[in-house]
Amino acid sequence: MTSHTIRLDALHQITGRPKEALKNTIKNGNAPWDDSEFPEGQRRQYSAFHALTLVIAEGLMAQGCTIPLSAEFIRAHAQAINLFLDEVSAGKNITPRYVLALQRAVWDSWTGSQWEPVILFGTGTAKEVADAYAGTLSEVGTESETRDGRSERRTIGGPWAATVSIPEMYRLLRQRAEAKGYLVDGRNIHKVADEAQDEAEAEESL
């Protein structure tokens, strides 16, 4: 089976993200991937990794996470997403992995109260997610000095959390892709019609 990537039009079709909204997301720097991977001036080709991150972002936003924050959290979980896709591509047993969006409420004697993201870098396992949540919960009520002792900081609430299963979002992506005539296979996206044509041509050459 030949490896394929897709263009923006197909990306919006299989992820369900409106094309103009997707363009604006990328233009505003809120893509859930490292946009520097695409060379300037070249026509972009997107893989299943990019499509999967968009579906994961949708899952986080459905739980109240903003577009910029969901992108930030997903980029921090790139290793977890890549490890999952490696397992799928290699036909290995799938490890349950998650993308965690986590925030804590803090009070600062200079700036007042605000929500602060807690960025989790790791492999996205259930234990990491549980430990991060428990650790943030245990911080509530703790205080410290900041700005060389000129101000105080206190964790006053949270954690606020949104969690998305990477394998389940991959399953959803495959379903949406199939409905649009595509097959998502690990990191690759194949146009079903193209694969059928390739098979027909191979049979004719025999």
Side-chain angles (χ1 to χ4, degrees), residues 50-147:
H50 304 105
L52 179 55
T53 61
L54 287 171
V55 179
I56 292 171
E58 177 186 334
L60 292 179
M61 289 186 290
Q63 298 175 65
C65 196
T66 65
I67 292 176
L69 272 178
S70 66
E72 181 179 359
F73 286 121
I74 294 169
R75 288 193 294 264
H77 285 76
Q79 181 185 8
I81 298 170
N82 279 315
L83 285 172
F84 165 76
L85 290 173
D86 286 343
E87 290 173 346
V88 173
S89 298
K92 296 181 178 179
N93 291 331
I94 301 302
T95 303
R97 299 184 192 276
Y98 303 86
V99 169
L100 172 66
L102 185 66
Q103 296 186 87
R104 60 188 161 211
V106 298
W107 171 84
D108 186 283
S109 59
W110 277 24
T111 60
S113 302
Q114 62 183 344
W115 284 98
E116 178 182 83
V118 180
I119 303 298
L120 172 64
F121 295 93
T123 60
T125 63
K127 184 178 186 306
E128 288 176 343
V129 169
D131 287 349
Y133 189 94
T136 305
L137 183 63
S138 69
E139 292 176 7
V140 177
T142 61
E143 58 183 21
S144 61
E145 292 184 343
T146 56
R147 300 178 183 88

Side-chain angles (χ1 to χ4, degrees), residues 174-196:
R174 283 177 57 91
Q175 291 175 347
R176 290 182 178 179
E178 183 178 354
K180 295 297 182 179
Y182 289 86
L183 172 66
V184 176
D185 178 33
R187 295 183 178 278
N188 303 316
I189 301 176
H190 310 273
K191 182 72 172 175
V192 175
D194 292 344
E195 294 300 328

Side-chain angles (χ1 to χ4, degrees), residues 148-174:
D148 296 323
R150 290 174 293 157
S151 61
E152 297 177 0
R153 168 190 168 93
R154 186 178 182 91
T155 301
I156 59 174
W160 173 92
T163 310
V164 170
S165 163
I166 298 174
E168 290 305 314
M169 292 302 99
Y170 177 77
R171 186 192 305 274
L172 178 59
L173 173 63
R174 283 177 57 91

